Amino acid sequence: MNKTLKSSAIALTLTMASMIANANDTMSFVSWGGSTQEAQQEAWAIPFSAISNIKVIQDGPTDYGKLKAMVESGNVQWDLVDVEADFAYRAAAEGLLEPLDFSIIDTTDIDPRFVSDYGIGSFYFSFVLAYNKNSLSSEPSSWEALFDLDTYPGKRALYKWPSPGVLEMALIADGVEPENLYPLDLDRAFAKLDTIKDNIIWWGGGAQSQQLLASGEASMGMFWNGRIFSLQEDGLPVGVNWKENLVMSDFLVIPKGAKNKDAAMKFLAYSTSAQGQADFASLTAYSPINKKSEELIDSGLNAYLPTSYTSDQVSLDYQYWAKNGQEISARWNTWLLK
């Protein structure tokens, strides 16, 4: 455990007194794997277990079909799950989640964009425009540049899933003001993407996106800010532009019928506390959803955090996607095959 996390555990010992459980209590935590889940384990699970005596068993990756099947069969093996925000709203509407207990989870200092009755943000990140400095003669300054193949040649790396982000980016690049994004003009968004479709390389995970940019196979693209931070930390020639960075969040949810619901509530409370969020941000450069976390984070990290660029942020509409995401997904998949 590093110095920051030791401080976290010590600071929260008193406030977590009510969380003391039997030594044999366990719960499962499900996330997406890779470096993100490793950070969640280090920042949240290890200190939480030390304080509460509740053992947190890591599982994953998150699978929406599996979560739904568990709930509908009444055999729920997962207790707390990291999901995308739009899925959290859709799953709540479908009766797949437990309502949260706000007598345990303190939301006083949590950014209201990331609070609902059935899920709370685990962290938030931004889709940013990033580029390989060795592949371009000038630095792009807006999403519009991503569609300008003459001035900025090379392949474009884009997220291959129709979750909130890519369509909004295309519309902004085409001149739509952020406040007028919703409901999405799908015809216009797909027409804009058509203009670069032959030059798109799709990525499905963070490691793949990093490889595309670091190698120069893609000269620029749309990336999770934490992945770009990691490349910059490694000294790679990667630049980033934060103009109109697109805010997305993961949410922590408890499946309906979770066997260790009470333990999951306590772990969720720890994860979203000021210290828990600060520790996770320090490991990943993803932003805390707790407003009190900023004062606990080394100021040297600020240049890499979305919280430093709030005036340039565009918040994606998770509830719109929860209602319309499946229909958009069908059209997206048809478009990909053309």
Side-chain angles (χ1 to χ4, degrees):
M1 188 184 298
N2 63 33
K3 185 175 181 180
T4 303
L5 298 186
K6 286 181 180 176
S7 299
S8 166
I10 293 169
L12 285 171
T13 297
L14 295 178
T15 58
M16 296 289 291
S18 62
M19 296 185 178
I20 299 300
N22 296 323
N24 293 326
D25 283 354
T26 62
M27 58 160 286
S28 64
F29 174 69
V30 178
S31 189
W32 301 93
S35 59
T36 297
Q37 190 161 358
E38 290 172 1
Q40 290 170 323
Q41 181 174 15
E42 183 174 355
W44 301 342
I46 292 174
F48 171 74
S49 293
I51 294 169
S52 67
N53 283 332
I54 298 172
K55 183 178 181 181
V56 180
I57 299 171
Q58 301 290 322
D59 200 355
T62 298
D63 183 321
Y64 298 149
K66 191 172 182 179
L67 185 154
K68 184 175 183 179
M70 284 182 181
V71 174
E72 291 179 345
S73 68
N75 183 23
V76 180
Q77 301 298 315
W78 292 348
D79 296 312
L80 187 65
V81 187
D82 189 304
V83 303
E84 293 162 299
D86 55 312
F87 176 79
Y89 281 102
R90 186 167 76 248
E94 294 176 0
L96 301 176
L97 304 179
E98 293 282 353
L100 299 183
D101 185 344
F102 293 110
S103 69
I104 297 175
I105 304 163
D106 183 3
T107 61
T108 305
D109 298 315
I110 296 179
D111 186 326
R113 289 181 295 176
F114 311 118
V115 178
S116 75
D117 290 340
Y118 292 86
I120 294 183
S122 56
F123 59 92
Y124 87 81
F125 59 90
S126 288
F127 282 111
V128 293
L129 174 66
Y131 49 93
N132 186 310
K133 295 180 179 178
N134 292 340
S135 299
L136 301 174
S137 58
S138 61
E139 298 184 355
S141 60
S142 70
W143 292 118
E144 188 176 354
L146 193 143
F147 293 84
D148 183 352
L149 295 170
D150 294 328
T151 307
Y152 307 99
K155 297 292 185 181
R156 275 40 175 168
L158 295 182
Y159 193 38
K160 74 176 181 180
W161 304 114
S163 61
V166 176
L167 295 173
E168 285 90 338
M169 180 276 293
L171 289 170
I172 290 172
D174 203 40
V176 176
E177 295 296 330
E179 60 269 26
N180 297 325
L181 277 174
Y182 300 98
L184 296 176
D185 185 336
L186 297 176
D187 290 340
R188 186 171 176 176
F190 282 112
K192 186 66 174 179
L193 289 171
D194 277 337
T195 65
I196 60 168
K197 190 173 183 180
D198 292 341
N199 289 281
I200 296 173
I201 303 177
W202 301 104
W203 56 267
Q208 183 187 10
S209 75
Q210 290 175 305
Q211 189 278 328
L212 289 172
L213 190 62
S215 67
E217 186 175 356
S219 62
M220 70 167 74
M222 179 181 189
F223 302 92
W224 299 326
N225 72 279
R227 292 292 179 165
I228 301 306
F229 165 72
S230 179
L231 293 177
Q232 292 175 320
E233 284 285 282
D234 290 339
L236 293 167
V238 172
V240 60
N241 187 283
W242 288 88
K243 183 179 180 182
E244 293 170 327
N245 65 94
L246 303 169
V247 173
M248 180 59 178
S249 176
D250 275 14
F251 271 37
L252 298 173
V253 301
I254 299 173
K256 189 78 172 180
K259 294 181 175 63
N260 302 295
K261 181 176 71 174
D262 291 343
M265 294 285 179
K266 294 169 183 175
F267 184 46
L268 202 163
Y270 185 93
S271 304
T272 55
S273 68
Q275 191 67 61
Q277 286 287 298
D279 291 340
F280 181 78
S282 298
L283 292 170
T284 62
Y286 291 126
S287 274
I289 51 90
N290 192 311
K291 295 179 180 178
K292 291 291 187 182
S293 299
E294 291 184 49
E295 59 195 60
L296 304 174
I297 297 172
D298 187 320
S299 60
L301 190 63
N302 287 339
Y304 304 98
L305 293 173
T307 40
S308 298
Y309 303 94
T310 55
S311 62
D312 284 318
Q313 286 183 352
V314 178
S315 291
L316 302 175
D317 190 336
Y318 316 137
Q319 297 192 57
Y320 170 85
W321 276 90
K323 295 176 183 175
N324 301 284
Q326 291 180 313
E327 182 178 346
I328 294 173
S329 179
R331 180 166 177 176
W332 173 274
N333 290 328
T334 300
W335 174 80
L336 279 181
L337 294 174
K338 287 183 179 177

